[in-house]
């Protein structure tokens, strides 16, 4: 059911000033995008439209939609911050989905930044899923592509940590080990510190894992030898290819503390195999919750992979740390 008093109509020329103001209120404008130019592009494209949502005379939401004859793309979905959660965004999405169906378009796609937890949660709630594709881009007007700057002039790193959880056992399809590799998963029971550091450093080095590097041997031993900590090592063709670490010390909750592959084994199909196995292992203990965290320094697909396997974001935290490449913890 539509929110009370909500009406949706197509953009008209006199709406330009109000629409740009709404984009600004919703935080949709980026420094590399000219809103007036974007409006002109939508208006000049026959297979595109901008829809506005009003309550009475007040502009409360908007959504732009276009298609290439096969896929539809959503842009500039926005709702006034004070009205979010009232169903306006979902109603707008339903409207543009109907518009695409009328155009004979079978698929709708959209882009969301991986650290935008609120938006990711919204789309997941109304039925959208990550598709596992990597987005690549190139500006054709001479400018350089903007990126996420994490290194500061004072030697600090800024990152955003995303916390994810699952509160019930997911219905995961069985994922076999990839064909052509001889694999084995072994429980490393009370591993030596040297072996654990080898795993941790090799798997986490590219993603700047530093917390365990900063620990002395005694502190680290107490953790990895605790009966509530389980470390499973994945071997491929006889050599370590990655590991997963489950922390059961706070049962009935379990944390997937670490998960990753050696750089040489990324892209061979081992990641999903190891992750789904670790999830099934964790749920064999019937926890009330399984949780994990990732951040902007991790592999660019980490957040999407966790979500695809059934984790849902529930919290986000901004953190500033000393760059481990500058303080000696990680050699460059």
């Amino acid at each position: 059911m539509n929110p009370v008093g909500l009406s949706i109509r197509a953009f008209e020329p006199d709406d330009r000033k109000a629409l740009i103001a709404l984009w600004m209120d919703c935080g949709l404008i980026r420094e590399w995008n000219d809103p007036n130019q974007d409006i002109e592009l939508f208006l000049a494209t026959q297979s595109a439209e901008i829809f506005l949502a009003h309550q009475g005379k007040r502009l409360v939401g908007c959504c732009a939609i276009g298609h290439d004859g096969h896929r539809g793309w959503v842009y500039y979905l926005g709702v006034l911050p004070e009205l979010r959660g009232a169903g306006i965004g979902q109603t707008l999405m339903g409207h543009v989905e109907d518009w695409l169906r009328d155009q004979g378009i079978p698929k709708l796609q959209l882009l969301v930044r991986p650290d935008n937890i609120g938006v990711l949660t919204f789309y997941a709630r109304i039925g959208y899923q990550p598709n596992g594709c990597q987005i690549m881009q190139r500006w054709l007007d001479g400018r350089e592509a903007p990126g996420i700057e994490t290194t500061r002039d004072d030697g600090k790193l800024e990152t955003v940590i995303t916390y994810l959880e699952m509160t019930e056992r997911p219905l995961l399809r069985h994922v076999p080990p990839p064909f052509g590799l001889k694999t084995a998963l072994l429980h490393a029971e009370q591993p030596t510190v040297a072996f654990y550091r080898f795993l941790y450093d090799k798997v986490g080095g590219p993603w700047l894992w530093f917390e365990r590097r900063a620990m002395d041997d005694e502190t680290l031993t107490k953790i990895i030898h605790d009966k509530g900590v389980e470390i499973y090592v994945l071997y491929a063709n006889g050599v370590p290819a990655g590991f997963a670490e489950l922390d059961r010390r706070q049962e009935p909750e379990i944390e997937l503390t670490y998960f990753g592959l050696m750089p040489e084994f990324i892209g061979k199909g081992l990641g999903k195999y190891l992750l789904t196995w670790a999830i099934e292992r964790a749920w064999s203990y019937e926890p009330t919750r399984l949780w994990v965290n990732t951040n902007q320094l991790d592999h660019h697909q980490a957040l999407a992979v966790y979500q695809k396997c059934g984790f849902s974001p529930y919290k986000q935290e901004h953190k500033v740390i000393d760059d481990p490449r500058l303080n000696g913890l990680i050699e460059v």
Side-chain angles (χ1 to χ4, degrees):
M1 184 174 66
N2 290 353
V4 175
L6 190 73
S7 61
I8 298 176
R9 63 169 175 81
F11 175 88
E12 298 177 356
D14 290 342
D15 296 318
R16 182 186 298 263
K17 184 176 180 180
L19 177 60
I20 293 176
L22 178 65
W23 284 355
M24 294 181 66
D25 289 340
C26 295
L28 298 177
I29 295 178
R30 298 292 182 265
E31 60 183 34
W32 53 86
N33 288 335
D34 182 334
N36 279 293
Q37 186 178 53
D38 281 354
I39 291 173
E40 291 299 326
L41 286 172
F42 280 113
L43 296 180
T45 304
Q46 291 184 351
S47 58
E49 188 65 88
I50 303 173
F51 291 103
L52 308 181
H54 287 83
Q55 283 185 325
K57 295 183 178 180
R58 187 186 185 192
L59 179 60
V60 296
C62 62
C63 188
I65 183 71
H67 70 82
D68 58 14
H70 176 67
R71 299 176 182 86
W73 289 91
V74 168
Y75 307 87
Y76 286 109
L77 174 68
V79 175
L80 285 175
E82 64 269 25
L83 297 178
R84 289 171 185 167
I88 297 173
Q90 185 170 354
T91 302
L92 275 164
M93 287 299 296
H95 189 87
V96 298
E97 289 172 0
D98 289 341
W99 183 84
L100 284 175
R101 291 189 187 97
D102 291 342
Q103 305 289 316
I105 305 302
K107 185 178 183 181
L108 175 56
Q109 298 186 157
L110 49 95
L111 302 177
V112 183
R113 298 181 186 280
D115 58 344
N116 198 340
I117 300 303
V119 173
L120 286 169
T121 302
F122 164 76
Y123 282 118
R125 180 169 54 81
I126 64 174
Y128 286 78
Q129 301 175 341
N131 66 6
C133 294
Q134 172 64 30
I135 300 297
M136 303 182 74
Q137 67 177 20
R138 181 182 182 184
W139 292 96
L140 302 179
D141 56 5
R143 74 181 105 171
E144 294 185 2
I148 299 175
E149 182 60 51
T150 57
T151 305
R152 306 194 323 191
D153 293 338
D154 60 0
K156 303 285 186 179
L157 284 177
E158 294 188 47
T159 188
V160 175
I161 303 173
T162 301
Y163 295 86
L164 305 99
E165 66 180 357
M166 54 174 70
T167 55
E168 59 183 21
R169 191 171 195 153
L171 298 175
L172 293 175
R173 294 178 58 185
H174 173 67
V175 178
F179 180 77
L181 288 175
K182 298 177 181 178
T183 59
L185 264 167
L186 298 180
H187 183 188
E189 301 182 53
Q190 296 193 337
T192 64
V193 170
F195 181 63
Y196 182 85
R197 288 196 187 278
F198 163 74
L199 293 174
Y200 182 88
D201 293 354
K202 292 299 182 181
V203 170
W207 323 116
L208 304 187
W209 292 5
F210 71 92
E211 290 91 343
R212 297 281 170 91
R213 289 176 182 255
M215 292 180 180
D216 58 56
D217 286 356
E218 181 179 359
T219 302
L220 181 56
T221 299
K222 288 181 180 179
I223 295 174
I224 63 177
H225 285 188
D226 193 292
K227 292 182 179 180
V229 174
E230 299 181 1
I231 300 162
Y232 296 95
V233 183
L234 173 64
Y235 291 84
N237 293 339
V239 300
F243 79 104
E245 182 174 328
L246 298 175
D247 188 342
R248 299 172 49 212
R249 292 176 294 176
Q250 302 296 324
E251 284 185 314
E253 295 188 355
I254 297 177
E255 178 187 1
L256 177 58
T257 318
Y258 290 104
F259 158 78
L261 299 175
M262 302 284 183
E264 299 87 349
F265 290 96
I266 293 175
K268 298 182 182 297
L270 289 167
K272 190 171 183 180
Y273 165 64
L274 177 58
L275 180 57
T276 54
W277 186 93
I279 291 172
E280 288 294 333
R281 177 64 180 175
W283 281 101
S284 71
Y285 295 108
E286 299 183 352
T288 57
R289 184 176 79 122
L290 174 63
W291 66 281
V292 69
N293 74 74
T294 185
N295 64 70
Q296 290 174 315
L297 303 177
D298 283 337
H299 191 282
H300 62 274
Q301 291 185 344
L303 182 59
V305 168
Y306 285 131
Q307 290 182 281
K308 198 168 185 179
C309 285
F311 286 96
S312 297
Y314 70 92
K315 185 176 71 171
Q316 194 175 57
E317 177 184 22
H318 180 266
K319 192 171 184 180
V320 178
I321 62 174
D322 293 326
D323 190 333
R325 296 165 298 185
L326 300 180
N327 61 19
L329 287 176
I330 296 179
E331 294 183 4
V332 180

